[in-house]
Each structure stands twice: as structure tokens, then as C-alpha cells.
Amino acid sequence: MEKIRRSRIVRVLAGFLMSGLLVSLPRSAAAQDTRAATIAAEQEAKAKVAKPYEPGGAEKLFLSLKQDFMESPNGFYPYFASVYSGGGFTLGAGYRQYYGDRTQWNIRGLYSIKSYKFLEWSTDSVGHGVDRFDWHARVGWRDATQVAYYGLGIDSPNNRTNFRLKQAYVGGNIDFRPAPVVIFGAGATYEDFNLEEGQGASPSIETVFTPATAPGLGDNPKYIHSFGSAGIDWRPSPGYARTGGLYQVSYHNYDDRDSVYSFDRVDGEIVQHLPILRENWVLSFHGLVQTTLDDDDIVPYFLLPSLGSGSTLRAYSSWRFRDRHSLLLTGEFRWIPSPLAIDMAIFYDAGKVTSQRSDLDFDGLKSNVGIGIRFHGPLTTPLRIEFAKGDEGWHIVFGGSAAF
């Protein structure tokens, strides 16, 4: 009897359990359906509200101007550049016309607030030989009315004098890429320099310096300037890049037609961009060494390697330091709020000039820190505004090209 009773109890409990399962299954399925419907409704609501990124008013204006004026293949366009370092705020324009699929002629001019003037006609033909050869030719003239000269050396006093530099030139060059990242360049230019009394508020150079303290003072040399370069370059563009790098060596020969001021110079340059988190931030580094080869050659004061400008020591006036050899080191941390138009950066520059190549070391460097904003396109940087602080105070930079 006891076994019969236990068997009945088990059957009753099993019946209750089966009933519960049969009742709960539809409810569970209904709950699943309800949750799925809720998620689908939320996603649909988000899709109705979500919109693609739209640039703000200032960014829209910049992108529109870039498309209409800087990227248009033919016609007039605004031209952002410097006549000569230290010329101040500059306005410019150009006109270009294609006369082949990859060949154009271009005329452009600039005028600065300090009456610096520039005019150039050029022709460029690119992408020949399966995109391996680019050809360039140009003829031009510039007039820099008050170029600064402070004397020789990194310890030269901050006492400015001015000179006027007029330069007429004609020449051409070729770029050759035997492999996608390997670059070679060569060219030659005839350069006719005419040095005159400086304008502006500062004294003219000849009232303070002599040929002993300003080599070549009083002469107007004419040069055939030839050069060659070799390197590797895997940046998207020299005018604007967030990735890639450049490692290059260049040789310059200045052949004075009167055989008095001939000299040779070698430049070594390194640029490296290290993107972080899909290029939201970028660490960028730049190094540049310029060295005159023969200690017996006389290099005119206006062609000496120099530091101080919107692309070297940015807290110091243009041409602040001059001598026979120079060293520049730069580091930047860049933030990219708009990949299509705007970068921000904080930067550090350090460098020196020396009379002896053996002194190109890290002792006695002049330095500065700063912050800036860059307005750019995919391949160019037409406007750069920066504030830099060094031991001679603050300096504001308006640039028409990439810092490096």
C-alpha cells in the first residue's frame, strides 16, 4: 500500500510540473517576442533621429572655398605663400591653365604688408613614365625690402639691421621615382641677386656691419645653383600628412659667375609622423642639418644657413641666427578635430647655428614651445596660425604651408 501511495504522489507532482511548463512556455516565448519587438522599435527610432556628420558653418565655408578655388583645375585661385621669410601678412592670387592631361602653366603673384613682392610663371608636367617622372620649369622675380640681419652665431645680440634683396631667376628640375617610396631630384637655376640699402625702421646693414662681420657685404653675386637629392618618402603629400615619413639628403652647388663666392652645402632632413588611434592624434618629428662643406669658401651673409622663422625656431624673428652650419629639431603633438579641414598642435623647437661643423651638437640650443591651428585640404596646408614662446618673448606665425 505504501508503494502505491508513493506512486500516486509522484504522478501528481509530475502532473503539476508538466502543467507549469506548459503554461510558462507560451509566456516565455511571448516575453522573448516582446523584448525583440522593443529592441527593433528602439533601433528604428534611433535610425529616424540619427544623421550623418555635418560640418559646422566655418568648416562648410572653408571646404567650399577649397573646392572652388584651390582644387579647381583651371582659372583663378587664391595663392597662400610667403614672398620671403619675414615679409609679414601676404595676399596673393594665381591663374592656371591645363594644356595637356597632366601639364599646366601657372602665373602667380604675392604682395605683403611690408611691400615684399613676388611674381612667377611656371609650367609643370607630372606623372610620366607610369607616374615616375615629373618635370618643372619656372622664371620669376622677388623683392624683399627689409630682410633682417643680426650678425653671426647663436649668441648674436638681438639688434636688428635690414637689407633689401632683389632676386631674378630662371630654372627647372626633374623628380624621379623608380619605386613608390624612393625619390630622386635634380635641377639647376640661374639666380641674379641684387642687394640694396634696407628699408623699414631698423638701421640698414652697411651702417653697422662690414664684410668681416657680414661676408660678401657690398657685392651682388650671380649664381648657377645646381642641386641633387635622394631619399625615401612615404607621406601622402609633402603639403599635408598625418602618416609616413621622409628621409632625404640634398647637395647644393652655388657656382658664382665671378668665382668669388662659390660654395657647396649638404642638407640632411628627417620627417616622421606616428598616428595614434586611427589618426585622431599624431606624433610628428622633424630634424634638419645644413652644413657648408669647405671651410675656405666664402658664403654671402644672405645665403648662410639660418634659424628663426615660421618653420624653424618659431618664437624667434625670421633670420634671427645665421652661420655656416645649422641644426634644427622639432616635435609636435597633433590633434585632428576635423580630418577634412582642421588640425591643432602643440610643439617644441630647438636648434643652433655654428661656425664649425664639430659644434653641431646638443649643447647651447635655443628653444621654444607653442600651440597652433592648421587649415588644410587632403594634400595642402594653405593657412597655419601659431603662437610660440622663447627666451626673447612671444611670436605669432602666419604660414601658407605645412610646418614640415
Side-chain angles (χ1 to χ4, degrees):
M1 294 295 294
E2 182 66 26
K3 290 182 179 180
I4 295 171
R5 188 180 298 110
R6 287 179 181 176
S7 178
R8 287 178 179 174
I9 293 172
V10 170
R11 286 197 298 270
V12 171
L13 289 174
F16 277 118
L17 288 173
M18 290 298 296
S19 300
L21 287 172
L22 292 172
V23 171
S24 64
L25 280 173
R27 292 180 179 176
S28 177
Q32 292 288 344
D33 292 343
T34 302
R35 282 196 294 272
T38 301
I39 293 172
E42 290 176 352
Q43 291 176 343
E44 184 178 356
K46 288 180 179 178
K48 292 179 180 179
V49 175
K51 295 180 179 179
Y53 170 74
E54 293 185 4
E59 188 175 344
K60 283 182 179 179
L61 176 60
F62 178 78
L63 292 173
S64 176
L65 291 173
K66 179 169 69 71
Q67 174 64 36
D68 292 342
F69 294 106
M70 287 181 283
E71 297 179 354
S72 176
N74 292 316
F76 289 98
Y77 61 93
Y79 179 40
F80 301 95
S82 171
V83 175
Y84 204 65
S85 183
F89 180 73
T90 303
L91 294 175
Y95 182 88
R96 60 181 162 229
Q97 186 70 44
Y98 276 82
Y99 57 96
D101 290 342
R102 301 182 178 187
T103 306
Q104 64 168 317
W105 63 263
N106 195 338
I107 186 167
R108 51 195 179 182
L110 295 165
Y111 188 87
S112 83
I113 195 171
K114 294 182 179 180
S115 297
Y116 284 32
K117 296 168 282 292
F118 170 84
L119 185 64
E120 181 184 79
W121 180 91
S122 64
T123 182
D124 305 276
S125 190
V126 302
H128 299 284
V130 196
D131 290 330
R132 292 184 179 180
F133 291 95
D134 297 339
W135 307 83
H136 311 276
R138 69 197 64 83
V139 56
W141 172 83
R142 64 167 44 89
D143 177 14
T145 59
Q146 41 191 298
V147 183
Y149 184 76
Y150 295 86
L152 300 175
I154 196 65
D155 296 319
S156 58
N158 190 13
N159 297 321
R160 173 175 177 155
T161 64
N162 288 340
F163 63 91
R164 185 172 188 171
L165 181 147
K166 295 180 179 179
Q167 178 192 14
Y169 60 91
V170 57
N173 65 285
I174 180 174
D175 300 322
F176 173 51
R177 300 178 187 86
V181 301
V182 179
I183 56 170
F184 294 97
T189 303
Y190 177 77
E191 302 177 355
D192 184 354
F193 292 97
N194 187 18
L195 288 307
E196 298 181 1
E197 180 180 335
Q199 300 182 0
S202 300
S204 187
I205 185 173
E206 74 280 357
T207 65
V208 177
F209 294 96
T210 68
T213 52
L217 182 63
D219 287 339
N220 298 300
K222 298 174 176 61
Y223 286 102
I224 293 180
H225 172 197
S226 56
F227 74 90
S229 64
I232 56 174
D233 185 359
W234 66 103
R235 298 170 296 173
S237 169
Y240 177 73
R242 298 194 295 267
T243 62
L246 168 73
Y247 293 73
Q248 181 172 268
V249 175
S250 303
Y251 166 78
H252 297 264
N253 172 257
Y254 285 84
D255 182 12
D256 179 18
R257 298 292 77 199
D258 294 329
S259 302
V260 177
Y261 299 108
S262 297
F263 66 95
D264 299 283
R265 193 187 77 224
V266 170
D267 302 346
E269 184 173 21
I270 294 176
V271 174
Q272 185 65 64
H273 302 292
L274 302 175
I276 304 172
L277 293 178
R278 298 182 179 180
E279 302 180 18
N280 290 320
W281 296 279
V282 179
L283 293 175
S284 296
F285 303 97
H286 182 217
L288 176 64
V289 175
Q290 295 183 311
T291 179
T292 305
L293 294 184
D294 193 333
D295 291 338
D296 294 329
D297 289 340
I298 301 175
V299 182
Y301 63 95
F302 58 92
L303 291 177
L304 286 165
S306 69
L307 294 176
S309 71
S311 57
T312 58
L313 291 177
R314 283 170 273 190
Y316 297 86
S317 301
S318 294
W319 315 105
R320 177 62 183 86
F321 308 105
R322 299 180 190 252
D323 218 319
R324 297 177 65 85
H325 315 277
S326 69
L327 168 67
L328 172 69
L329 302 169
T330 294
E332 293 192 346
F333 177 77
R334 300 178 181 180
W335 170 50
I336 319 297
S338 170
L340 297 177
I342 299 173
D343 288 6
M344 302 287 293
I346 56 175
F347 56 84
Y348 175 81
D349 304 323
K352 66 189 298 187
V353 297
T354 70
S355 60
Q356 300 294 324
R357 189 179 303 109
S358 58
D359 292 330
L360 286 176
D361 52 31
F362 302 127
D363 294 332
L365 299 176
K366 295 290 185 179
S367 63
N368 62 247
V369 296
I371 187 171
I373 182 171
R374 291 86 184 266
F375 299 93
H376 64 83
L379 303 176
T380 60
T381 306
L383 180 60
R384 177 167 50 92
I385 304 172
E386 296 169 335
F387 300 86
K389 173 69 166 61
D391 61 12
E392 293 183 0
W394 285 92
H395 197 72
I396 302 176
V397 173
F398 293 93
S401 62
F404 56 86

